[in-house]
Amino acid sequence: MISAADLRRIAFWSHELTEEEFERAQRGIVEKLYAKGAYLCHRGDRLESWTGISSGLVRFGMTSRSGKIMTLAGLREGSWFGEGTVLKNEARQYDLVALRDSRVAMMHRATFFWLFENCVAFNRFLVRKLNERLGQFIALVEYDRTLPATARVARSIAWLFNPVLYPKAETQLEISQEEIGLLSGISRQAANSSLKTLEVKGLLRVEHGSITVLDIDRLRQFED
DNA sequence: GCATTAACAGCCG
DNA sequence: CGGCTGTTAATGC
């Protein structure tokens, strides 16, 4: 079972639970490690748990039949996902791959349903979360073809700093330029050049192995 | 043109 | 040392 401190750290929704609800959640979660490159699940798998990222970075996406990869979202510490699959009790429609060594929190299906049936705060969180992700996926339709590379990088990064999904996130995030490329759907070299552009415009600061966001609002809307 | 892969030197932790 | 970054050259759509 996950420690209380870890649960508080990676799940801001847990702060709104009563003591009883919190303990139920805690007892229903186990943590698991995935090495860089390992799949948490493949499309078509049954992954029974509702899932949160405890540390590391995971790519949420799919691979087309021709082998082209499509990234739907990058999942960082504090990301929770899989409620759609758990609620509908169906197979996963996407792949989850660890981009670096990652620790993942798995909530048992029964615990998820207990919270879903009994806890208003938990449901408020789910609705907020689904709403943000829906907005993100709508933006993805435009993003994929229309926007130039730098704008796609800007959006991929902005999503990792979504204030609704990660209300307590630091402005700095440990992420390499290669990982940013994987999440943005471009090469490391192109990611490097886009990051330089965004840095010159004052939207973020590029550091060795990490970035610091300076202006999340402009980053989200960046178009050229 | 624009983006990709490959290669490599240099830097950081 | 191993991983990440910055840059260039060759190649493809």
Side-chain angles (χ1 to χ4, degrees), chain A residues 84-100:
Chain A
T85 316
V86 172
L87 286 168
K88 289 181 284 185
N89 191 25
E90 62 182 25
R92 301 274 166 160
Q93 304 293 313
Y94 44 79
D95 302 318
L96 294 166
V97 194
L99 295 183
R100 56 169 62 194

Side-chain angles (χ1 to χ4, degrees), chain A residues 39 43 59 61-70 94-95:
Chain A
Y39 276 73
R43 184 173 193 171
R59 193 179 72 81
M62 43 190 54
T63 307
S64 71
R65 208 163 298 178
S66 58
K68 197 186 165 206
I69 66 158
M70 168 88 185
Y94 44 79
D95 302 318

Side-chain angles (χ1 to χ4, degrees), chain A residues 28-163:
Chain A
I29 296 173
V30 291
E31 288 189 291
K32 212 175 152 183
L33 294 170
Y34 289 88
K36 176 175 179 172
Y39 276 73
L40 282 66
C41 80
H42 285 89
R43 184 173 193 171
D45 281 354
R46 299 237 156 221
L47 180 63
E48 293 286 300
S49 308
W50 190 53
T51 312
I53 305 296
S54 184
S55 73
L57 191 64
V58 171
R59 193 179 72 81
F60 164 42
M62 43 190 54
T63 307
S64 71
R65 208 163 298 178
S66 58
K68 197 186 165 206
I69 66 158
M70 168 88 185
T71 295
L72 297 173
L75 304 171
R76 58 172 292 183
E77 177 178 314
S79 296
W80 288 84
F81 52 91
E83 60 282 338
T85 316
V86 172
L87 286 168
K88 289 181 284 185
N89 191 25
E90 62 182 25
R92 301 274 166 160
Q93 304 293 313
Y94 44 79
D95 302 318
L96 294 166
V97 194
L99 295 183
R100 56 169 62 194
D101 291 355
S102 300
R103 195 155 85 252
V104 174
M106 311 274 205
M107 178 188 282
H108 299 128
R109 201 177 142 73
T111 305
F112 178 87
F113 273 102
W114 187 87
L115 288 166
F116 184 60
E117 298 294 340
N118 294 284
C119 178
V120 172
F122 186 73
N123 283 281
R124 275 202 294 263
F125 166 76
L126 282 182
V127 171
R128 279 202 302 273
K129 208 220 88 145
L130 285 165
N131 209 20
E132 289 302 313
R133 285 275 182 238
L134 181 59
Q136 185 169 327
F137 293 152
I138 288 171
L140 197 62
V141 178
E142 169 197 27
Y143 158 119
D144 193 45
R145 267 287 157 215
T146 315
L147 296 178
T150 304
R152 288 192 275 150
V153 170
R155 274 166 169 67
S156 298
I157 293 170
W159 291 340
L160 294 172
F161 290 86
N162 179 315

